[in-house]
Amino acid sequence: MIELMKAEDLEQVLEIENASFSNPWSRKYFLNEIENADLSELYVDIIDGQVVSYGDLWYMFENCDLTKIAVRPSMRHKGYGRKMLKHLISTARNRGCEFMHLEVNVNNKDALALYEAYEFETVRTRKRYYENGDDAYDMIKGLIQETQPRKVLAIESSCDETACAIIDEDLNVFSSVVTSQIDVHARFGGVIPEVASRMHVEQISTIIKEAVEKAHLSMDDIDAIAYTIGPGLIGSLHVGAIGAKSLAFFYNKPLIGVHHLKGHIFINELIKPLQYPMMALVVSGGHTELVYIENDQSFKIIGTTLDDAIGEAYDKVARVMKEAYPGGPVIDKLAKSGQAHYQLPTPKVDGLNFSFSGLKNAVLQLVKKEEAAGNEINKSDLAYAFQEVALNTLVKKTKTALEQYPCKSLVLAGGVAANSRLRELMNENFSDMDLILPPLKYCTDNALMIACAALHYLKAEKFVSLDASSMPSMSIED
Ligand code: KG4
Ligand code: ZN
């Protein structure tokens, strides 16, 4: 998340500053910048407690100076510089600035490429500007926009969360409201579709109203209405569809039917820009897929599960252990204190496909056998054994997929992306590429993810009509 820098960020910022500039700013200088927040603003991007980049703006009436952007050395070339620049441009614009000015070393190719990509123009060269004799370019970008970034209101209701969010094309988040039915379904040990639909009906109108109010907007400010068209529980999908269609009809707005899993993928854009071609490992309650994404409009499933989805396997294994629904977080926690004790078979499926039902059945057999023998099951050890086999299979297949389909970035998506051991394994195995792990709060279903995906439909003008059907088993390729 990008936020104003605080004194507590100083140590990390100084570390990056010293590694980035031959004439680094001092501690005192940074503290001064933080204190003079009305004339200058220093922003930091913090991900999982780590400062990955920072950027500084000075305001002078209708003008502003971009004094610096720096990215942590180990995080360079992954899009964080672009993300910070985009944020600073949009902040300055919102503050009413008409121009942004900066100076850049003519030999700093990375920085020049970044500024040119954002349409900064060189207005003059300052000879021997830097101490080492290097020249600097003066660059300027006009900030006045002919058109405002368009805003999308999105609704998610495919399973057991009712949610509504509003976002604009510059990825400014106006609001995101989610209510979960999980407590109710937990009593039944799983999602009861009919109960889910009824609860969506009860929630949907207030959730939409809340999202619009929290955004301090009216429906006139919204440029398109998006909703999850599939996959998901049909009754639940219908409630979101009716909500979205009513708004689109009444306010005469274009309607966008979003694929739920594209939402899980594109929410990662709130972390940083995605680079293509990209591989997505989609791991949710209903899906386990390897998706090759050549560009934002082209999705190819290169591996999928032949039976149970990974999240489903987690939930069923938890049930066998008489643990609460949803099982994923419970097993994740139990496995932390587990040890290698039980042996479970590694699923054997050729190619890039997955299968988890054999593993799930092996857990069931093991529990029955131990019970019959009068032995108590060590739940932590069993959770550990199940998880190691299941997750290492995911990692192995992802490696093979990347050998066959070389990619710039790898993104983890879906509810199971919250799993702590999977995140650890991904970091261990794919640190040599641009790996994107969604923050925990974005792993569970929400409407912000549908809004992020909807922007790509909007860009391609992919709209649906008011008579569009919901598609409970829609493929991401459709
Ligand atoms: O993406 P999601 O919200 O639903 C679908 O779109 O299908 O994913 C829900 C799934 C559930 O099966 C849940 O048990 C699993 O994600 N899950 C986890 C964890 N947190 C949620 N699985 C493993 N470890 C977790 N920490
Ligand atoms: Zn989901």
Side-chain angles (χ1 to χ4, degrees):
M1 279 302 133
I2 297 185
E3 51 195 66
L4 281 170
M5 181 177 161
K6 296 192 272 313
E8 67 198 53
D9 308 322
L10 190 58
E11 293 310 320
Q12 289 196 57
V13 166
L14 280 172
E15 196 188 309
I16 302 171
E17 177 78 8
N18 290 327
S20 306
F21 301 101
S22 52
N23 256 338
W25 285 0
S26 65
R27 176 181 301 268
K28 210 171 137 203
Y29 198 100
F30 273 107
L31 284 172
N32 196 36
E33 283 293 285
I34 301 176
E35 276 161 23
N36 286 321
D38 50 338
L39 295 176
S40 68
E41 280 177 345
L42 233 172
Y43 285 94
V44 285
D45 187 5
I46 302 180
I47 292 177
D48 292 335
Q50 192 184 48
V51 174
V52 293
S53 74
Y54 54 91
D56 187 59
L57 286 178
W58 286 0
Y59 295 106
M60 283 160 289
F61 306 107
E62 74 283 0
N63 222 329
C64 75
D65 243 46
L66 171 59
T67 52
K68 72 170 57 184
I69 287 188
V71 180
R72 182 177 285 277
S74 60
M75 293 291 193
R76 291 190 185 147
H77 306 289
K78 297 185 174 188
Y80 289 111
R82 266 182 291 157
K83 178 183 177 189
M84 180 54 77
L85 179 57
K86 210 170 155 190
H87 172 81
L88 298 176
I89 290 172
S90 132
T91 304
R93 194 174 267 150
N94 291 342
R95 214 173 139 142
C97 292
E98 293 172 13
F99 291 99
M100 183 176 280
H101 163 258
L102 59 88
E103 285 134 18
V104 57
N105 189 315
V106 297
N107 297 316
N108 190 344
K109 300 278 173 269
D110 285 346
L112 279 175
L114 173 68
Y115 298 134
E116 276 160 12
Y118 280 85
E119 293 165 347
F120 277 86
E121 281 172 25
T122 303
V123 285
R124 68 169 168 155
T125 309
R126 293 181 187 231
K127 290 285 177 201
R128 302 188 158 274
Y129 183 73
Y130 296 101
E131 267 180 15
N132 67 355
D134 282 355
D135 298 347
Y137 286 140
D138 259 318
M139 299 185 97
I140 283 189
K141 176 183 170 67
L143 299 178
I144 293 175
Q145 270 180 325
E146 310 267 294
T147 50
Q148 289 292 316
R150 290 174 291 179
K151 297 185 188 68
V152 170
L153 178 148
I155 295 170
E156 153 65 29
S157 72
S158 66
C159 189
D160 53 355
E161 266 89 23
T162 325
C164 183
I166 300 173
I167 200 172
D168 74 12
E169 283 176 302
D170 286 347
L171 298 182
N172 292 309
V173 175
F174 289 84
S175 61
S176 174
V177 185
V178 186
T179 56
S180 175
Q181 314 171 351
I182 242 167
D183 296 349
V184 177
H185 297 297
R187 280 192 252 141
F188 301 102
V191 178
I192 309 289
E194 187 52 37
V195 176
S197 316
R198 283 181 188 217
M199 294 191 69
H200 285 306
V201 170
E202 289 167 13
Q203 295 289 348
I204 188 127
S205 307
T206 37
I207 292 292
I208 295 172
K209 190 161 173 270
E210 207 179 316
V212 176
E213 281 171 5
K214 273 202 174 151
H216 302 292
L217 295 171
S218 80
M219 285 306 295
D220 292 336
D221 302 315
I222 306 292
D223 297 284
I225 310 288
Y227 69 106
T228 306
I229 193 165
L233 300 169
I234 186 65
S236 295
L237 288 169
H238 275 156
V239 182
I242 293 293
K245 287 179 180 190
S246 310
L247 291 177
F249 169 65
F250 189 78
Y251 293 102
N252 196 21
K253 310 279 179 192
L255 186 63
I256 299 172
V258 175
H259 189 285
H260 180 82
L261 297 180
K262 288 188 188 170
H264 276 302
I265 293 169
F266 284 119
I267 183 107
N268 288 294
E269 279 183 312
L270 293 182
I271 310 305
K272 62 175 178 159
L274 302 175
Q275 305 189 73
Y276 303 95
M278 174 170 79
M279 186 72 69
L281 173 61
V282 180
V283 281
S284 73
H287 293 83
T288 313
E289 281 173 3
L290 279 161
V291 186
Y292 176 69
I293 307 171
E294 203 174 350
N295 58 58
D296 70 335
Q297 308 291 331
S298 155
F299 298 77
K300 185 174 153 131
I301 300 172
I302 56 168
T304 187
T305 179
L306 304 175
D307 37 60
D308 290 2
I310 177 85
E312 195 181 349
Y314 264 92
D315 295 336
K316 288 180 180 167
V317 165
R319 201 182 310 174
V320 169
M321 292 198 228
K322 302 189 175 57
E323 289 292 338
Y325 171 85
V330 182
I331 293 192
D332 189 354
K333 199 161 159 224
L334 279 171
K336 282 197 172 84
S337 55
Q339 306 205 348
H341 166 200
Y342 297 114
Q343 290 287 325
L344 291 170
T346 302
K348 293 212 167 29
V349 185
D350 289 342
L352 297 174
N353 287 336
F354 305 91
S355 162
F356 295 104
S357 83
L359 176 61
K360 174 194 72 185
N361 284 328
V363 173
L364 184 62
Q365 296 311 325
L366 192 147
V367 170
K368 276 190 182 161
K369 206 172 112 209
E370 294 290 304
E371 276 176 359
N375 297 332
E376 197 163 313
I377 290 285
N378 182 319
K379 287 187 184 181
S380 296
D381 289 353
L382 186 55
Y384 176 91
F386 162 75
Q387 193 165 264
E388 286 305 304
V389 174
L391 300 183
N392 277 298
T393 306
L394 293 178
V395 169
K396 206 168 138 234
K397 297 272 176 175
T398 307
K399 275 200 167 156
T400 316
L402 285 166
E403 281 160 21
Q404 292 176 15
Y405 296 83
C407 283
K408 276 197 183 149
S409 53
L410 169 65
V411 54
L412 187 65
V416 184
N419 185 277
S420 58
R421 179 66 180 139
L422 179 56
R423 297 170 80 92
E424 208 173 86
L425 284 171
M426 296 296 283
N427 277 322
E428 278 168 21
N429 285 276
F430 302 105
S431 59
D432 56 338
M433 67 184 298
D434 182 18
L435 170 69
I436 308 157
L437 303 179
L440 295 183
K441 64 174 175 187
Y442 294 152
C443 290
T444 40
D445 289 348
N446 59 78
L448 212 43
M449 63 188 231
I450 303 306
C452 288
L455 293 175
H456 293 270
Y457 289 73
L458 186 65
K459 189 180 95 185
E461 299 189 7
K462 278 191 187 160
F463 301 115
V464 293
S465 56
L466 288 173
D467 60 0
S469 268
S470 296
M471 290 177 266
S473 45
M474 183 186 195
S475 159
I476 198 166
E477 292 180 355
D478 292 345

